[in-house]
């Protein structure tokens, strides 16, 4: 059974998409906790951080920096990774939060 | 001026040390938010996640997994990385939190 996020990646479920590559999709959290609240989701499905290969984690580190640059919030963001504890979807995702407003927060879809 | 954490690494300030290698030190947060609350601190000083080189971030990914294994909480932890937003010490550190008790939480120093 594909995860909720894989169904979003496959366009079977809707989402507000901020950024996408062959490896990752970045979408709006549907229950935002800050002015900016995105989810960085590797397309390669794995349950959580602990179970994810190093290449995917390296790709996510780079994606964090790319997203910060695209939004102009390089100096003000928080990353949260819930591994089992507090994790609502069993498909690895990084929460990217910023208290700043950004006029660069717009959606591909 | 060395950071607070560099002074801990250099044993100029006290801390409860859980784990240490040539590259990283893992200490108790002095204001724990969960039953387990550790800080993973690269010895190579850099201000925040955004400004840190990829090799250091890869080392930290590995350290997260090592710490989870040492504590036996591979299925239940959270990582928080405050980059400017909520960051109290300008020396990169990952918060490692778990709601579990672990009898493996003991201190080298």
């Amino acid at each position: 059974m594909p995860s909720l996020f894989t169904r979003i990646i496959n366009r079977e479920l809707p989402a507000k998409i901020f950024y996408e590559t062959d490896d990752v999709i970045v979408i709006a959290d549907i229950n935002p906790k800050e002015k900016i609240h995105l989810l960085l989701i590797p397309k390669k499905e794995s349950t959580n951080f602990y179970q994810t290969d190093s290449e995917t984690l390296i790709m996510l580190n780079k994606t964090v920096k790319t997203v910060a640059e695209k939004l102009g919030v390089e100096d003000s963001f928080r990353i949260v990774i819930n591994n089992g504890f507090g994790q609502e979807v069993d498909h690895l995702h990084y929460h990217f939060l910023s208290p700043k407003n950004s006029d660069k927060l717009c959606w591909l879809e």
Side-chain angles (χ1 to χ4, degrees), chain A residues 3-60:
Chain A
S3 78
L4 174 71
F5 292 149
T6 294
R7 295 178 69 197
I8 287 173
I9 291 162
N10 292 340
R11 306 302 198 266
E12 297 164 11
L13 291 174
K16 290 163 78 173
I17 300 173
F18 174 69
Y19 175 66
E20 186 172 22
T21 71
D22 288 344
D23 299 315
V24 69
I25 193 166
V26 180
I27 66 172
D29 192 293
I30 56 168
N31 185 20
K33 303 289 193 299
E34 296 290 341
K35 286 180 182 164
I36 298 173
H37 189 165
L38 300 173
L39 302 178
L40 284 53
I41 307 165
K43 292 189 176 180
K44 185 174 170 183
E45 209 174 301
S46 64
T47 305
N48 58 31
F49 183 98
Y50 184 76
Q51 294 184 22
T52 299
D53 62 83
S54 59
E55 291 71 22
T56 300
L57 298 180
I58 292 167
M59 180 277 293
L60 286 167

Side-chain angles (χ1 to χ4, degrees), chain A residues 1 3 8 28 32 38 54 58 67 69 73 75-77 82 86 93 97 103:
Chain A
M1 177 73 181
S3 78
I8 287 173
L38 300 173
S54 59
I58 292 167
V67 168
E69 288 165 2
V73 299
D75 62 344
S76 184
F77 64 86
N82 293 325
H93 52 288
L97 304 116
D103 57 9

Side-chain angles (χ1 to χ4, degrees), chain A residues 42-104:
Chain A
K43 292 189 176 180
K44 185 174 170 183
E45 209 174 301
S46 64
T47 305
N48 58 31
F49 183 98
Y50 184 76
Q51 294 184 22
T52 299
D53 62 83
S54 59
E55 291 71 22
T56 300
L57 298 180
I58 292 167
M59 180 277 293
L60 286 167
N61 283 342
K62 291 177 185 164
T63 304
V64 168
K65 292 185 180 183
T66 299
V67 168
E69 288 165 2
K70 282 183 166 287
L71 294 167
V73 299
E74 296 93 329
D75 62 344
S76 184
F77 64 86
R78 171 178 294 147
I79 300 300
V80 178
I81 309 161
N82 293 325
N83 185 105
F85 174 35
Q87 184 173 358
E88 294 181 4
V89 179
D90 287 336
H91 178 151
L92 174 65
H93 52 288
Y94 284 20
H95 294 263
F96 182 105
L97 304 116
S98 176
K100 286 193 169 180
N101 283 311
S102 172
D103 57 9
K104 293 169 186 159

